Amino acid sequence: MINEHYVDMLKERSVIRAISERAAARRAEVGEQHVFDFSIGNPSVPTTHDFTEAMIDLYETESPIALHGYSPSTGLPVFTQAVADSLNRRFGMDYEPSHIYPTSGATAALAHAFRAVTKPGDEMITFAPYFPEYRPYSEAAGLTLTVLPCDPKDFQIDFAALEQAMNPNVQAILINTPNNPSGAVYSAATLQRLADLMRAKQEEYGHAIFLISDEPYREITFDGAEQPYPSKFYDNTLSCYSFSKSLSLPGERIGYVAVNPKAEQADIFGPMFTQISRCTGHNCPGASIQRAVARVIDETADLAVYGKNMELLYDTLIELGFEVVRPGGTFYMFPKALEDDANAFCEKAMHYDLFMVPSDSFGMPGYVRMSFCLDTSKVEAAIPALRRFVTEVYGR
Amino acid sequence: MINEHYVDMLKERSVIRAISERAAARRAEVGEQHVFDFSIGNPSVPTTHDFTEAMIDLYETESPIALHGYSPSTGLPVFTQAVADSLNRRFGMDYEPSHIYPTSGATAALAHAFRAVTKPGDEMITFAPYFPEYRPYSEAAGLTLTVLPCDPKDFQIDFAALEQAMNPNVQAILINTPNNPSGAVYSAATLQRLADLMRAKQEEYGHAIFLISDEPYREITFDGAEQPYPSKFYDNTLSCYSFSKSLSLPGERIGYVAVNPKAEQADIFGPMFTQISRCTGHNCPGASIQRAVARVIDETADLAVYGKNMELLYDTLIELGFEVVRPGGTFYMFPKALEDDANAFCEKAMHYDLFMVPSDSFGMPGYVRMSFCLDTSKVEAAIPALRRFVTEVYGR
């Protein structure tokens, strides 16, 4: 018989998807150029020329049997070595290739990380605002996801709330920095304080507490800042990554989990991950994409457009009187709505063909997420619409 | 804390992998040419020229943003349409693209199929000899896997055993044809009888019983025979497929589940599969591989070598006095060992640098699996070693 559990899940519609579908319908109605769609986080820049060349070269010169043969379930050594070397060089880590487990994007990386360091019934903590998919992902692993508030002035961690929420059933803390949807970049001070607190609680409870760090936006930072590497601050860290954003390859599904070599039983993780893959039906990313990404491991697509869009949108929102924290990275901005009900705000904005996502499903009502992975000309074109909307509806 | 469940799983070593590692060690010791490794089922022929050309063309001519953009979680329409058209054309089915759900290989296809039509605590039946990974896959879905004997004279289904084992808790029957490890191709008569029995039991128990048909070897058949399409015989069928073997792309991880359009609630499966993917961390196959495979959907690699190897090996085994059923397909043969204990038989064979897999983990002790996805010259070179082994150890 049909498994009703998955049918029931269909009732919880994704708000992001619903709004993006309304934007698409509106585009079909009035034309692309009249619709300002800030709903979806889909990279808007092309991947690098070198990546394309690497793939063509592999297909033109490698033996097809070697190129398309099974990858070991722990990944192709050429890929895990390239990732380990790159992280070691960039962040002063000491990863061996065996600490890198290739996954089909960050979603699969999280699925492995969650299962490796928790068991059903455990508690995991994360911080609002958070990526709404964390909820089904953690429920599927049998976890209780506790969402704690952040400090709304900068979206860093509210440590008083964390201190109070900690208890021996907490086996993992999940962070996402640079953060979707707030654009916040956790500072070294935040990461240091988090690590200190987690170490103290490990000591107090007598068991490891893992930091699961979701970092798909690691390379998209603004104003010359860089994302401090969370694993550098805390040994029991699993870093989850995807090349979707940095290399603009969202459809190619390639990422990894990196296990800090100083983590408790660090060397058991690779073998454990293969067992988790068996249980979930996961498979390594495709063999040829592993090889191509390995060749361009330190490259990124030209991400400068996101910074430019951020400036433009941020300045506009400030000028229009929004409360908004200047994003440190990602391609999202998270202004406060101009009325308490962000859903009502977003509905009204749609009359001006402005599509934004109300923040309720991000665990922090009253805000809106604006994705600015768009051509800059599109952001520029949206400004008059934003201005009209705010003036006509809110008298600003 | 580390999840001990996955650590425990590490204790159950895969026999196939263990033997293949011994073969690899021996190759390092005495040289490739002296080792006859029948342990691993890794396609030994190159993919098609057209596939390689398709991928190069995509990379050379498509816009990178379009090529590498997110695939909808239900797959790229160009891929699902191509699969549906191909199956409809070849097997007289009426699939719509929405009945095809792309997965990262057959493993992921099975993971989705199991979860869609069963819930934890349910029973699933399969038939010995069976692919050993079915056990962890079904345990991970919370299922009890009941393994029934086959008819050893042709490895078709033992219907008396099936009739007796059926009970209302059975929600699915899992078949694998052409079969790994026996090489058996279920006949139209077998599939018809199975369908009749399942329909009667659906009626009797008042609930759907799904047929999950694992078909990665569908295109590798011998002696001019073809694999009858199981879904054609029984409406409540989920067909699980991988292009690993037919297109010789094992490392590229692309397959699908095809839902029979006449299945109960056939149209709910696509949306359900997306929810299962969310829960397991699964992602669609890479966008570019979906596009490339769509372009060569009806092609196969040159699979003739497998038939040639089969003839050679079968004739040799018969000549040496083995009891062996002539395989109808796959690249496996499943002779009876020359002593009751197949493990002892395989250990002795290793002294002749012959590496075969004892059948205990396939649920049918006393046999060995020989993979003949090798260059024909390798099979030829193995014959004198086989002859010496059988003569010296078993006096034949």
Side-chain angles (χ1 to χ4, degrees):
Chain A
M1 283 181 292
I2 305 288
N3 187 325
E4 294 294 336
H5 171 67
Y6 300 109
V7 178
D8 285 346
M9 282 182 72
L10 293 169
K11 292 173 200 154
E12 323 147 16
R13 282 230 68 204
S14 154
V15 180
I16 300 173
R17 193 167 291 262
I19 290 183
S20 121
E21 282 169 10
R22 287 174 69 175
R26 186 68 181 153
R27 272 194 292 273
E29 202 179 322
V30 299
E32 164 72 36
Q33 73 275 26
H34 300 296
V35 176
F36 310 107
D37 182 2
F38 294 98
S39 69
I40 279 272
N42 217 340
S44 59
V45 295
T47 188
T48 70
H49 181 72
D50 288 348
F51 170 78
T52 301
E53 288 302 302
M55 190 62 109
I56 291 172
D57 181 62
L58 285 166
Y59 270 76
E60 282 182 344
T61 62
E62 292 280 319
S63 129
I65 295 181
L67 181 58
H68 305 303
Y70 276 116
S71 159
S73 47
T74 50
L76 290 173
V78 68
F79 176 75
T80 54
Q81 183 76 58
V83 172
D85 289 350
S86 170
L87 294 175
N88 294 345
R89 202 162 42 232
R90 291 174 61 199
F91 303 118
M93 299 293 290
D94 296 298
Y95 291 113
E96 296 290 330
S98 60
H99 299 121
I100 309 299
Y101 190 78
T103 58
S104 61
T107 304
L110 292 171
H112 283 76
F114 289 3
R115 285 162 178 79
V117 297
T118 67
K119 56 181 193 321
D122 287 345
E123 182 178 347
M124 180 163 68
I125 284 176
T126 197
F127 305 95
Y130 70 99
F131 180 47
E133 290 295 293
Y134 287 167
R135 194 162 287 287
Y137 295 172
S138 49
E139 281 169 3
L143 301 176
T144 301
L145 183 68
T146 301
V147 178
L148 299 181
C150 65
D151 184 336
K153 78 170 187 306
D154 55 7
F155 298 118
Q156 302 282 315
I157 292 173
D158 177 340
F159 282 98
L162 177 57
E163 180 80 49
Q164 197 172 14
M166 285 303 294
N167 71 77
N169 197 34
V170 174
Q171 298 290 346
I173 294 181
L174 169 62
I175 61 172
N176 171 215
T177 179
N179 181 271
N180 171 10
S182 74
V185 169
Y186 280 1
S187 65
T190 293
L191 293 169
Q192 188 59 57
R193 200 166 160 194
L194 177 63
D196 290 344
L197 184 150
M198 288 177 73
R199 272 189 291 268
K201 293 295 172 183
Q202 287 193 135
E203 185 83 9
E204 182 183 337
Y205 304 147
H207 66 70
I209 305 169
F210 276 84
L211 179 64
I212 300 176
S213 178
D214 183 20
E215 308 174 2
Y217 301 96
R218 188 200 287 148
E219 283 76 20
I220 309 179
T221 51
F222 306 136
D223 300 323
E226 284 206 356
Q227 170 64 61
Y229 191 60
S231 195
K232 195 72 193 163
F233 294 78
Y234 185 69
D235 292 345
N236 281 334
T237 298
L238 307 179
S239 307
C240 298
Y241 188 73
S242 161
F243 291 93
S244 293
K245 279 78 181 181
S246 61
L247 275 174
S248 261
L249 294 174
E252 302 298 345
R253 317 302 326 162
I254 178 160
Y256 59 78
V257 189
V259 180
N260 187 314
K262 293 183 189 150
E264 213 173 282
Q265 298 189 65
D267 294 331
I268 200 77
F269 277 85
M272 273 176 76
F273 286 146
T274 67
Q275 299 307 315
I276 295 170
S277 287
R278 270 173 110 188
C279 289
T280 58
H282 175 264
N283 288 291
C284 248
S288 49
I289 198 99
Q290 287 189 57
R291 288 179 215 272
V293 169
R295 290 194 184 181
V296 297
I297 194 78
D298 284 325
E299 292 193 7
T300 66
D302 181 1
L303 307 171
V305 63
Y306 302 131
K308 204 165 160 191
N309 292 351
M310 184 280 285
E311 297 262 5
L312 200 56
L313 200 55
Y314 178 78
D315 290 347
T316 304
L317 292 178
I318 289 291
E319 185 208 318
L320 293 174
F322 280 86
E323 271 181 56
V324 56
V325 176
R326 185 178 177 94
T330 75
F331 36 59
Y332 304 109
M333 199 168 302
F334 201 61
K336 208 160 183 188
L338 296 180
E339 58 183 294
D340 288 346
D341 182 349
N343 292 285
F345 175 84
C346 290
E347 282 294 333
K348 290 171 191 166
M350 283 189 243
H351 294 295
Y352 293 82
D353 288 319
L354 291 161
F355 293 83
M356 302 177 263
V357 182
S359 63
D360 298 61
S361 61
F362 298 100
M364 194 168 173
Y367 291 74
V368 296
R369 187 186 81 168
M370 298 181 77
S371 281
F372 49 83
C373 38
L374 298 167
D375 288 342
T376 302
S377 60
K378 193 76 193 175
V379 180
E380 283 165 347
I383 292 174
L386 255 173
R387 186 164 287 138
R388 267 202 305 127
F389 162 53
V390 170
T391 312
E392 293 178 15
V393 178
Y394 298 98
R396 302 208 173 189
Chain B
M1 284 182 290
I2 305 288
N3 187 324
E4 293 294 336
H5 172 66
Y6 299 109
V7 178
D8 285 346
M9 282 183 72
L10 293 169
K11 292 174 197 153
E12 323 146 15
R13 281 227 70 203
S14 154
V15 181
I16 301 173
R17 193 166 290 262
I19 291 184
S20 121
E21 282 170 9
R22 287 175 68 175
R26 186 67 181 154
R27 271 195 293 274
E29 203 180 323
V30 299
E32 164 73 36
Q33 74 275 27
H34 300 297
V35 175
F36 311 107
D37 183 1
F38 294 98
S39 68
I40 280 271
N42 217 339
S44 59
V45 294
T47 189
T48 70
H49 180 72
D50 289 349
F51 170 78
T52 301
E53 287 302 302
M55 190 61 109
I56 292 172
D57 181 62
L58 285 166
Y59 271 76
E60 282 181 343
T61 62
E62 291 282 319
S63 129
I65 293 180
L67 181 58
H68 305 303
Y70 276 115
S71 159
S73 48
T74 51
L76 290 173
V78 68
F79 177 75
T80 53
Q81 183 76 57
V83 172
D85 288 349
S86 171
L87 294 174
N88 294 345
R89 200 161 46 229
R90 291 174 61 198
F91 303 118
M93 298 292 293
D94 296 298
Y95 292 114
E96 297 289 332
S98 61
H99 299 121
I100 310 298
Y101 190 77
T103 59
S104 59
T107 304
L110 293 169
H112 284 76
F114 290 2
R115 286 163 177 78
V117 297
T118 68
K119 55 182 194 319
D122 286 345
E123 181 178 347
M124 179 164 69
I125 284 177
T126 197
F127 305 95
Y130 70 99
F131 180 46
E133 289 296 293
Y134 287 166
R135 193 161 288 285
Y137 296 172
S138 48
E139 282 170 3
L143 300 176
T144 302
L145 182 68
T146 301
V147 179
L148 298 182
C150 64
D151 184 337
K153 77 169 188 307
D154 56 6
F155 299 118
Q156 302 282 315
I157 291 172
D158 177 342
F159 282 99
L162 177 57
E163 180 79 49
Q164 199 173 10
M166 285 302 295
N167 71 77
N169 197 34
V170 174
Q171 298 289 348
I173 295 182
L174 169 63
I175 61 172
N176 171 216
T177 180
N179 181 271
N180 171 10
S182 74
V185 169
Y186 280 0
S187 65
T190 293
L191 293 169
Q192 188 59 57
R193 201 166 158 193
L194 177 63
D196 290 343
L197 185 149
M198 289 178 73
R199 273 189 290 266
K201 293 296 174 184
Q202 287 192 136
E203 186 83 7
E204 183 183 338
Y205 304 147
H207 66 72
I209 305 170
F210 275 85
L211 180 63
I212 300 176
S213 179
D214 182 22
E215 309 174 2
Y217 302 96
R218 188 200 288 148
E219 284 75 21
I220 310 180
T221 52
F222 307 135
D223 301 324
E226 284 205 356
Q227 171 64 63
Y229 191 61
S231 195
K232 195 73 192 164
F233 294 78
Y234 186 70
D235 292 346
N236 280 334
T237 298
L238 307 179
S239 307
C240 298
Y241 187 73
S242 162
F243 292 92
S244 294
K245 280 78 181 180
S246 61
L247 275 175
S248 262
L249 294 173
E252 302 299 346
R253 317 302 326 164
I254 176 158
Y256 58 79
V257 189
V259 180
N260 188 315
K262 293 181 190 151
E264 212 173 283
Q265 298 188 65
D267 293 331
I268 199 79
F269 278 85
M272 271 177 79
F273 287 146
T274 67
Q275 299 307 315
I276 295 171
S277 288
R278 269 173 111 187
C279 289
T280 58
H282 175 265
N283 288 293
C284 247
S288 48
I289 198 96
Q290 287 188 59
R291 288 179 215 270
V293 168
R295 291 194 184 182
V296 297
I297 194 78
D298 283 326
E299 292 193 10
T300 67
D302 181 1
L303 307 170
V305 63
Y306 302 131
K308 205 166 159 191
N309 292 351
M310 185 279 284
E311 297 263 5
L312 200 57
L313 200 55
Y314 177 77
D315 290 348
T316 303
L317 292 177
I318 289 291
E319 187 208 318
L320 292 174
F322 280 86
E323 274 182 54
V324 57
V325 177
R326 186 178 176 93
T330 75
F331 36 60
Y332 305 109
M333 199 168 301
F334 202 60
K336 209 162 180 187
L338 295 179
E339 60 182 293
D340 288 349
D341 181 350
N343 292 285
F345 176 84
C346 290
E347 281 293 334
K348 290 170 191 167
M350 282 189 242
H351 295 295
Y352 294 81
D353 289 321
L354 291 160
F355 292 83
M356 302 178 265
V357 182
S359 63
D360 298 61
S361 61
F362 298 101
M364 194 171 175
Y367 292 75
V368 297
R369 188 186 78 169
M370 299 180 75
S371 280
F372 49 83
C373 39
L374 298 166
D375 286 343
T376 302
S377 61
K378 193 74 191 175
V379 179
E380 283 165 347
I383 293 175
L386 256 174
R387 186 164 287 137
R388 268 201 305 127
F389 162 53
V390 169
T391 312
E392 292 178 14
V393 177
Y394 298 98
R396 303 211 172 186

